Amino acid sequence: MRIAVAGATGNIGALTVAALERGGHEVVRISRFLGVDLLTGEGLDDALTGVEAVVDATNSTSPDRAEAVAFFGTATANLLGAEQRAGVGHHVLLSIVGIDGVEGNAHYAGKREQERLVAAGPVPWTIVPATQFHDFAEMVAGWAEQDGVAPIAPLLVQPIAPADVATILAEVATGAPQGRHVDVAGPATQDLVDMARRTHQARGRAVTLVPTWSAVFGPAMAGNVLLPGADARLAPTTFEEWLAEQR
Ligand SMILES: NC(=O)c1ccc[n+]([C@@H]2O[C@H](COP(=O)([O-])OP(=O)(O)OC[C@H]3O[C@@H](n4cnc5c(N)ncnc54)[C@H](OP(=O)(O)O)[C@@H]3O)[C@@H](O)[C@H]2O)c1
């Protein structure tokens, strides 16, 4: 199949390109660096010529709610419009488990807008909600780190390996549209502070972690809100196996 990956230079996008190519598929890579901008539409119609399915693994890191909603809203609308013109038969969106249960997070507001447009849009779709990735704790600690000290919330998560997410996206993109996919998650629950500490250890970095609910993710994400549903598909790679690869 000829399949486009939007966000092809990113963490999950690059792994999804690799997974599709391993499966013998022809992949069209989409990102601004590669000359295609989802916000302006530059290069998009040409990129989607002959494409049968699109995986959207783009990202905005804006902490501003209006900016995040505008990014995901505009990029998704442009992508879906171009897919309709090109006759693409399947749009696959990588989303996040639990976003409907968390108010006050800019990124989640943007992802809800993205899901809304996909579900109401003209192209048959599959939305794949994933839990936090194994590198999430390190990323979150990194946002807040100053002079070797990082405040971080003790969130309960069930993280998944980025490569496992990519494998699932490749499998979904080469099959029929499913609507809302079950949650995808890793095999075990983890505490975000402990994950960050072990990741820093594996990388030989000395960072003092300060557990607090005043960090970037507050009480709105406490409890089980980020955990996958009971019918979730659990991917095999443990956090410990992923950590061993980072050393
Ligand atoms: N981190 C987590 O734990 C987690 C968990 C579940 C789901 N997710 C979701 O996973 C998705 C992918 O995350 P990620 O960490 O893999 O992303 P990432 O590494 O930040 O990569 C983002 C990609 O989007 C591209 N991009 C950004 N703006 C663009 C534009 N205007 N036009 C075209 N391409 C654009 C970037 O390429 P250029 O810069 O070259 O444009 C890059 O390839 C996100 O939507 C996120 O919500 C994340």
Side-chain angles (χ1 to χ4, degrees):
M1 282 176 74
R2 186 170 161 89
I3 300 171
V5 175
T9 56
N11 183 13
I12 300 301
L15 291 166
T16 304
V17 170
L20 286 165
E21 286 179 342
R22 275 198 305 276
H25 300 285
E26 185 189 351
V27 182
V28 177
R29 296 159 75 235
I30 290 176
S31 91
R32 288 168 301 181
F33 179 75
L34 300 169
V36 185
D37 189 336
L38 296 186
L39 290 180
T40 64
E42 181 195 347
L44 193 48
D45 284 324
D46 284 347
L48 294 187
T49 305
V51 163
E52 294 157 82
V54 171
V55 178
D56 185 358
T58 53
N59 198 20
S60 154
T61 53
S62 174
D64 180 82
R65 186 185 183 101
E67 274 179 26
V69 171
F71 173 87
F72 284 116
T74 304
T76 304
N78 285 341
L79 188 53
L80 291 173
E83 288 174 21
Q84 188 180 27
R85 289 192 291 280
V88 172
H90 190 184
H91 180 93
V92 180
L93 170 63
L94 173 58
S95 194
I96 309 176
V97 167
I99 55 175
D100 288 331
V102 178
E103 258 309 312
N105 179 290
H107 189 73
Y108 284 16
K111 296 297 287 185
R112 283 195 294 270
E113 175 65 0
Q114 195 180 29
E115 285 197 3
R116 187 187 70 75
L117 290 169
V118 169
V123 181
W125 53 275
T126 307
I127 292 175
V128 181
T131 54
Q132 288 62 44
F133 307 149
H134 283 335
D135 53 13
F136 181 75
E138 179 183 32
M139 179 179 76
V140 170
W143 291 339
E145 185 183 329
Q146 273 191 325
D147 302 326
V149 178
I152 182 167
L155 300 179
L156 192 55
V157 295
Q158 190 163 326
I160 182 169
D164 286 346
V165 177
T167 300
I168 292 168
L169 289 175
E171 179 195 301
V172 168
T174 53
Q178 302 179 39
R180 194 164 185 88
H181 192 279
V182 293
D183 294 346
V184 301
T189 54
Q190 304 282 343
D191 156 7
L192 198 69
V193 181
D194 186 53
M195 282 172 69
R197 184 169 292 125
R198 287 193 281 160
T199 310
H200 289 144
Q201 263 166 12
R203 299 209 191 283
R205 294 201 62 225
V207 180
T208 302
L209 297 172
V210 181
T212 171
W213 288 112
S214 304
V216 61
F217 298 119
M221 289 188 177
N224 292 347
V225 70
L226 297 179
L227 297 184
D231 60 347
R233 172 176 174 175
L234 302 187
T237 310
T238 64
F239 182 65
E240 290 71 21
E241 286 166 340
W242 175 82
L243 260 190
E245 288 170 13
Q246 310 306 303
R247 289 198 172 90

